[in-house]
Amino acid sequence: MAVLYVGLKASIKKTQKTELRVGDVAQLFMEDTSVAPFLDAVLGVVQPGWRVIRPVQVVQTLVQVLPEGTSIQMIGEQKCMVQGIPATREKHPFARLGAVVIGMLLFFGGALTLMNFHADVDMPRVHALISTLITGNENAGALWISIPYSIGIGLGVIFFTGFGKKRSNPNFFELEEQEYRDKVEKYLQKNEAGDTKDG
């Protein structure tokens, strides 16, 4: 007896109002037999938001197209989360303005944090002491230390974030952003699909 192995994918994204096929949500394998005809079996139409596809739905669809006597063996995930995404994303007129405002808030927030830190540790006095230790002159001034120090902070931020540089590995901020997106996606999966029992 032939056995068709079906492995559900964890999650997929597909354009709204298009046909959702078995090949979109699962990987199929059958020994010595091509599974191409079964991949196009239609599960339904992709709707906005999240939808849960469970093994029983896939089995019910495949039974209609499989040769008689073929058994189905489910492996892998217990469900596949399908997210319906718009065919074209609407561009909001104030999207760029919002990005500029957020950028300015981050810039001035970071600057204020640095200024408060320098005020707490009395950085001008520290620089003056360093200048006195190196030159032996209390009136030598500390600008020759303060200016390179300030430039160094800016360069350090640029190198740390990898701004304007091609990198093979993500930086700290990209990792944090990806972690945040993963949490948002899991939250939406549970709430929009109405599936709060499974993690």
Side-chain angles (χ1 to χ4, degrees):
M1 181 173 62
V3 179
L4 175 67
Y5 295 93
V6 181
L8 286 180
K9 302 174 184 178
S11 64
I12 65 164
K13 295 181 180 180
K14 193 169 173 67
T15 306
Q16 297 173 10
K17 297 181 181 179
T18 59
E19 288 186 334
L20 181 64
R21 302 177 185 274
V22 170
D24 296 324
V25 302
Q27 294 179 321
L28 309 182
F29 172 76
M30 182 183 288
E31 190 174 357
D32 299 327
T33 304
S34 173
V35 297
F38 315 135
L39 295 173
D40 290 330
V42 179
L43 290 164
V45 178
V46 180
Q47 301 296 332
W50 290 94
R51 176 184 175 189
V52 183
I53 299 296
R54 299 196 178 277
V56 65
Q57 296 169 267
V58 178
V59 171
Q60 288 173 344
T61 301
L62 287 173
V63 165
Q64 301 174 19
V65 296
L66 285 175
E68 188 175 349
T70 304
S71 65
I72 300 174
Q73 180 68 47
M74 300 298 302
I75 57 177
E77 300 289 336
Q78 297 300 310
K79 62 182 178 180
C80 176
M81 301 299 301
V82 180
Q83 182 184 17
I85 57 176
T88 55
R89 295 185 179 273
E90 297 181 1
K91 293 184 178 179
H92 298 285
F94 298 108
R96 291 190 177 182
L97 178 62
V100 171
V101 171
I102 291 173
M104 292 178 63
L105 287 173
L106 290 173
F107 173 80
F108 288 111
L112 187 60
T113 301
L114 283 173
M115 287 189 289
N116 286 334
F117 166 74
H118 287 160
D120 288 341
V121 300
D122 198 1
M123 192 61 74
R125 181 171 174 273
V126 172
H127 285 177
L129 288 173
I130 294 173
S131 177
T132 301
L133 287 172
I134 295 175
T135 63
N137 183 2
E138 293 185 0
N139 299 319
L143 283 179
W144 66 277
I145 293 177
S146 299
I147 293 175
Y149 172 80
S150 301
I151 294 173
I153 289 177
L155 292 177
V157 170
I158 291 174
F159 286 126
F160 180 73
T161 58
F163 179 76
K165 177 183 176 183
K166 290 184 178 180
R167 293 168 283 104
S168 58
N169 296 320
N171 61 38
F172 172 79
F173 298 109
E174 289 170 336
L175 289 173
E176 288 294 320
E177 181 181 7
Q178 184 60 48
E179 184 178 352
Y180 170 75
R181 286 180 178 176
D182 290 342
K183 289 180 178 178
V184 170
E185 187 170 301
K186 287 181 180 179
Y187 175 84
L188 291 175
Q189 287 179 7
K190 289 182 179 180
N191 288 272
E192 293 191 27
D195 183 40
T196 57
K197 293 182 181 180
D198 299 326

